[in-house]
Amino acid sequence: MNEIKKRVEELTKILNDANYNYYVLDNPTITDQEYDKYLRELMNIEKMYPQYAQTNSPTNRVGGEVIDKFKKVVHEKPMLSLSNVFSEEEIKEFDVKIKSDGYNPSYVCEYKIDGLSVALIYEKGKLIKGVTRGDGVTGEDITHNVKTIKSIPLILNKPIDIEVRGEIFMNKKTLYKLNEKRKQLGLPLLQNVRNAAAGSVRQLDSKETAKRELDNFIYNLPEADKFNIKTHLEALQFMKDLGFKVNSESKLAKNIDEVIEYVRKTTIKREKLAYEIDGIVIKVNDLNLQEKLGYTAKYPKWATAYKFPAQEVLTKLKDIIFTVGRTGRITPNAVLEPVIVMGSTISRATLHNEEYVKSKGLMIGDIVSIRKAGDVIPEVVEAKTSRRTGQEIPFKMIEKCPMCHEKIIKISGQADYYCINPSCPKRNIESIIHFVSRDAMNIEGMGDEIVEELYNLGFVKNIIDIYALKNKKEQIMEFDGYGEKSLNKIIDNIEKSKENSLERLLFGLGIKEIGTKTAKLLASYFKNIDNLMQANIDDLKDIKDVGQVTAGSVVSYFKDNISLINELKNIGINMDYKGKNAGSNDLVTGKKFVITGTISGIGRKEIKEKLESYNAKFSESVSKNTDIVIVGENPGSKYQEAQRLNIPIWNEEKLKEVLNNLQ
Ligand code: IVH
């Protein structure tokens, strides 16, 4: 064999082994100096003989690859989240529920690592892709950054095709060191280990990620059956043997009492760990039983996460300020002396309304206790009255809107005050922000700050003005920060939003009591806005899950807003429900589809939604009953199966052509 190629292979092995021993086993076998020497030698060879540079060379560890944009990747199997329990009692209930189905499982207890989940895909034992969880269906391709994480193997011990999932995280000490450096440089500090890890993997330049010293634990093997693995514990061992870093604290618990014992022990150990954990994950060990227990739309039923109780910290209540929401609701907010609770810096907390503040007897200047649990928003628990100095100022509810200075009113029977001035700037800005938001009209590019600026500049004073922006392009471009390209994009997205299905509009209008779920319910029931506007309270109450208050709110909204709806209609905004059963298309309606691989520019969820709205059916596997298989980039074995069974195949081009022809 060629001498150079041989040396490349030798060096690769030395460096990969050294990495594994140091970062996975925590058992260094060579010195840092030796490592650097070998790494430099390999880098030099790769520079002189690029033809020998391997895609998964250990030189990737130092970063170098820069991308200009994160590619979207659809997960082969969705990446689910976990249900939560908050007490020993709830842990027992989780067990009782499974037992009530007639099972008697043993569990695996694992640390719930506070980081971000990642899917790692290997082909023939080589790492080819790292993808973030994203929304669970579609994630972002972060391969270039994943390769810099030294505890993630670039090459496995066996040349197999496999996907594994786990958590990327940052050690507590690393965050501390990083923040010390940032302080010196005058950069904003990273709030907590999770944000720091998430920000680090979302760097376009992998050299930046390499500097962040990220780490990982692998805890999930989505296709264990492919390897004839029967239990979660076996899956962990299997992944460990392949070279992955698996947390050695994961333990088998024969019954729920052993789970609780593990939880208690870990609660004590937690502080001393090098990394942050926010709970314990409890998983049914038997994979067969896992399948039997199945899933809800979001969570597996065979696992749950026990979350550690909220931590309480004392700080000073410096002030109480008031904000105005889109409905005009006035909310008091606590301004706090910044304090770190559960790894996050807290300086604000909502105080909900006047009664809430009064019931807690809060005074400005009080020492208060703050509570925060994981992702949950911070809460002011109580004032430490024994620490009062006499300088505290009593709380007083305001009488005028802090934005427009009009008198605010309280609706009888309700706790909240409202600003009812229809031209209150803050109310209007908030309602426009709501209208364009993701779950409403989903106008990408119109972020909160842009909306506020366009409002202040007088271009968008209400939702009707959004649709006239295209006529004001030249004027807007005179202001700083508005390039033609970005403006065109926003205008395109505005135009596209006209085609949204009715429920998006209903939610976006900001009708009191109408969240996304009720909006969808109303849209699918009434099919178009005219039917809905003609409905009276009784008609509305006929719908399951719609009560008196919601029905009343809908009727009164449309009574007051007929002209707004007419204007929106004249602009050309769709007012029909386009969901299920809405359309019919010979190529799609009634057909059974299977998707494999990635389609560029469109997520799997979106494709499904669109085709399902034309009454298409989807299934996970190809059979002789499948009508069409959609094949994207990097398809799985479903592609071969489709060819074997002679099932019509749509490539990306064909799919997009069909989608374009649907409404
Ligand atoms: S299992 C289908 N195990 O917690 C089961 N998740 O709240 C998938 N996490 O999205 C998750 N440590 O990011 C699992 N040992 C562990 C975990 C863990 C941390 C994260 C993961 C997940 C989130 C759910």
Side-chain angles (χ1 to χ4, degrees):
M1 199 199 303
N2 173 320
E3 282 303 310
I4 297 162
K5 193 163 173 228
K6 204 168 133 208
R7 185 64 184 152
V8 165
E9 281 173 11
E10 268 168 24
L11 289 167
T12 301
K13 176 143 180 34
I14 295 172
L15 290 164
N16 280 343
D17 286 352
N19 251 315
Y20 177 73
N21 288 318
Y22 188 98
Y23 290 101
V24 179
L25 300 184
D26 199 11
N27 179 23
T29 45
I30 61 175
T31 63
D32 288 0
Q33 286 78 4
E34 280 174 294
Y35 185 89
D36 285 345
K37 190 184 82 186
Y38 292 127
L39 188 67
R40 245 174 297 136
E41 185 184 343
L42 184 57
M43 282 169 138
N44 283 336
I45 298 180
E46 287 180 356
K47 216 179 201 169
M48 273 160 58
Y49 308 97
Q51 68 271 36
Y52 295 121
Q54 316 156 87
T55 41
N56 274 17
S57 164
T59 56
N60 280 312
R61 299 294 198 191
V62 294
E65 196 186 334
V66 182
I67 60 165
D68 55 10
K69 192 169 142 225
F70 290 98
K71 266 193 271 162
K72 297 255 182 267
V73 180
V74 178
H75 297 294
E76 264 304 314
K77 277 192 177 174
M79 284 182 87
L80 299 174
S81 182
L82 291 169
S83 61
N84 292 319
V85 292
F86 296 93
S87 62
E88 290 186 1
E89 210 179 334
E90 286 180 8
I91 295 177
K92 283 188 186 147
E93 280 168 20
F94 168 72
D95 179 58
V96 166
K97 185 129 199 297
I98 293 176
K99 285 202 172 120
S100 71
D101 287 336
Y103 305 113
N104 189 15
S106 53
Y107 297 101
V108 175
C109 299
E110 284 174 10
Y111 288 176
K112 186 166 187 300
I113 314 293
D114 201 6
L116 72 147
S117 42
V118 66
L120 302 173
I121 296 148
Y122 291 78
E123 266 175 24
K124 299 203 175 75
K126 288 203 174 124
L127 174 67
I128 58 148
K129 211 175 263 176
V131 188
T132 62
R133 174 168 181 270
D135 61 6
V137 176
T138 310
E140 284 179 328
D141 188 331
I142 51 162
T143 314
H144 65 304
N145 290 335
V146 159
K147 285 183 176 175
T148 69
I149 301 174
K150 299 200 178 81
S151 53
I152 292 182
L154 298 172
I155 296 167
L156 303 178
N157 294 332
K158 281 188 200 150
I160 52 173
D161 290 359
I162 189 170
E163 172 170 350
V164 297
R165 293 172 178 180
E167 201 86 353
I168 292 178
F169 64 93
M170 186 180 276
N171 277 312
K172 295 180 194 167
K173 218 192 239 160
T174 312
L175 177 67
Y176 180 79
K177 277 194 308 193
L178 204 62
N179 271 342
E180 283 297 300
K181 232 184 256 162
R182 291 176 78 92
K183 235 190 261 170
Q184 280 167 15
L185 297 170
L187 293 169
L189 301 190
L190 301 169
Q191 286 285 313
N192 54 46
V193 280
R194 175 167 353 152
N195 288 356
S200 303
V201 298
R202 286 201 88 265
Q203 298 287 328
L204 295 169
D205 180 352
S206 58
K207 270 215 172 74
E208 281 308 311
T209 311
K211 285 186 206 155
R212 302 290 181 91
E213 296 178 22
L214 296 172
D215 204 338
N216 94 106
F217 280 121
I218 294 299
Y219 49 66
N220 187 267
L221 177 62
E223 294 182 307
D225 50 340
K226 214 169 100 179
F227 305 100
N228 199 23
I229 289 170
K230 304 280 184 237
T231 66
H232 181 60
L233 216 55
E234 271 176 54
L236 292 177
Q237 187 60 45
F238 178 72
M239 296 190 287
K240 192 171 166 205
D241 293 343
L242 286 173
F244 291 108
K245 182 164 173 176
V246 173
N247 196 318
S248 57
E249 299 293 340
S250 299
K251 294 268 154 59
L252 185 71
K254 286 198 288 299
N255 52 46
I256 208 66
D257 290 335
E258 289 191 14
V259 170
I260 287 171
E261 199 184 310
Y262 182 93
V263 166
R264 287 186 187 164
K265 279 193 181 148
T266 311
T267 309
I268 299 166
K269 266 166 72 177
R270 180 183 172 205
E271 281 296 304
K272 296 202 185 72
L273 297 174
Y275 45 87
E276 197 81 65
I277 63 173
D278 58 344
I280 305 292
V281 183
I282 305 157
K283 302 174 178 175
V284 165
N285 188 31
D286 182 341
L287 299 183
N288 204 0
L289 179 52
Q290 284 190 2
E291 275 319 298
K292 278 191 200 150
L293 292 166
Y295 301 83
T296 70
K298 277 197 196 152
Y299 313 122
K301 291 189 196 163
W302 45 263
T304 194
Y306 164 78
K307 290 281 193 82
F308 292 126
Q311 194 190 334
E312 281 190 32
V313 173
L314 296 186
T315 190
K316 188 171 181 175
L317 175 61
K318 290 202 302 189
D319 199 359
I320 295 178
I321 57 166
F322 297 86
T323 50
V324 191
R326 94 187 130 78
T327 55
R329 187 166 72 199
I330 310 285
T331 309
N333 297 276
V335 179
L336 305 161
E337 191 77 54
V339 60
I340 297 178
V341 196
M342 304 265 300
S344 309
T345 307
I346 309 297
S347 56
R348 290 281 163 96
T350 177
L351 295 172
H352 306 288
N353 54 45
E354 181 188 22
E355 274 170 35
Y356 184 88
V357 185
K358 287 194 167 154
S359 71
K360 291 193 180 275
L362 300 179
M363 291 173 86
I364 295 166
D366 267 340
I367 298 297
V368 290
S369 60
I370 307 298
R371 175 161 61 192
K372 187 174 183 304
D375 298 339
V376 184
I377 51 170
E379 177 193 355
V380 174
V381 185
E382 60 178 11
K384 299 288 171 196
T385 47
S386 63
R387 296 191 52 180
R388 286 203 173 135
T389 61
Q391 302 291 305
E392 293 76 16
I393 305 162
F395 166 75
K396 198 166 168 290
M397 187 65 197
I398 47 169
E399 287 168 4
K400 290 183 176 160
C401 169
M403 298 309 293
C404 69
H405 310 292
E406 291 288 317
K407 201 167 160 41
I408 58 176
I409 62 149
K410 194 170 181 179
I411 302 165
S412 72
Q414 285 195 20
D416 299 313
Y417 279 88
Y418 285 88
C419 167
I420 53 160
N421 171 12
S423 44
C424 172
K426 189 64 200 253
R427 275 188 66 187
N428 291 336
I429 291 169
E430 290 297 329
S431 47
I432 299 165
I433 288 175
H434 176 74
F435 185 81
V436 301
S437 67
R438 190 145 71 158
D439 287 337
M441 295 302 268
N442 191 22
I443 302 178
E444 231 179 284
M446 282 190 82
D448 298 6
E449 278 166 30
I450 294 194
V451 170
E452 189 156 351
E453 194 162 63
L454 291 174
Y455 184 93
N456 290 332
L457 294 172
F459 291 115
V460 179
K461 285 285 186 198
N462 53 47
I463 58 177
I464 300 289
D465 288 349
I466 298 172
Y467 293 92
L469 264 184
K470 58 180 176 197
N471 309 324
K472 300 178 188 161
K473 224 172 82 181
E474 266 76 45
Q475 288 154 270
I476 299 174
M477 272 161 51
E478 286 169 19
F479 290 92
D480 231 18
Y482 291 93
E484 178 155 23
K485 228 166 120 190
S486 60
L487 214 48
N488 280 343
K489 241 192 205 147
I490 294 178
I491 290 168
D492 269 1
N493 292 337
I494 293 174
E495 287 304 302
K496 254 198 257 157
S497 77
K498 290 183 177 172
E499 303 305 324
N500 284 339
S501 181
L502 175 62
E503 65 276 16
R504 287 188 171 276
L505 175 66
L506 288 182
F507 176 61
L509 289 172
I511 308 167
K512 268 194 199 144
E513 310 294 330
I514 307 297
T516 47
K517 221 170 125 197
T518 316
K520 185 123 196 199
L521 213 59
L522 295 177
S524 65
Y525 187 88
F526 289 102
K527 300 283 183 272
N528 61 48
I529 205 146
D530 293 329
N531 292 341
L532 174 60
M533 287 171 79
Q534 278 156 23
N536 60 30
I537 293 199
D538 287 336
D539 298 334
L540 284 155
K541 276 168 59 187
D542 278 348
I543 308 173
K544 192 173 167 278
D545 293 338
V546 174
Q548 178 72 30
V549 179
T550 307
S553 167
V554 171
V555 169
S556 94
Y557 179 86
F558 286 116
K559 200 172 106 227
D560 296 343
N561 288 285
I562 296 177
S563 63
L564 171 69
I565 303 295
N566 282 337
E567 269 184 86
L568 290 167
K569 258 188 203 168
N570 291 339
I571 289 168
I573 291 177
N574 169 60
M575 304 259 166
D576 293 334
Y577 177 57
K578 291 184 169 181
K580 280 199 173 103
N581 309 327
S584 160
N585 175 294
D586 286 348
L587 293 171
V588 177
T589 306
K591 297 281 196 292
K592 294 194 185 67
F593 285 85
V594 171
I595 310 186
T596 175
T598 317
I599 306 287
S600 66
I602 176 162
R604 197 171 273 210
K605 195 170 150 206
E606 232 177 303
I607 298 171
K608 277 190 172 173
E609 267 176 14
K610 195 112 192 222
L611 296 180
E612 275 171 352
S613 72
Y614 277 71
N615 245 335
K617 298 266 175 308
F618 277 83
S619 64
E620 283 302 316
S621 55
V622 177
S623 73
K624 59 180 191 324
N625 294 328
T626 309
D627 292 306
I628 294 146
V629 177
I630 299 170
V631 178
E633 214 185 309
N634 294 325
S637 57
K638 294 172 198 168
Y639 180 35
Q640 279 105 39
E641 194 55 15
Q643 285 175 318
R644 197 177 68 80
L645 294 172
N646 242 339
I647 292 168
I649 285 167
W650 287 2
N651 59 15
E652 186 171 319
E653 203 183 332
K654 173 73 186 174
L655 171 71
K656 288 188 173 162
E657 180 195 312
V658 174
L659 290 178
N660 283 337
N661 285 330
L662 303 181
Q663 280 301 305

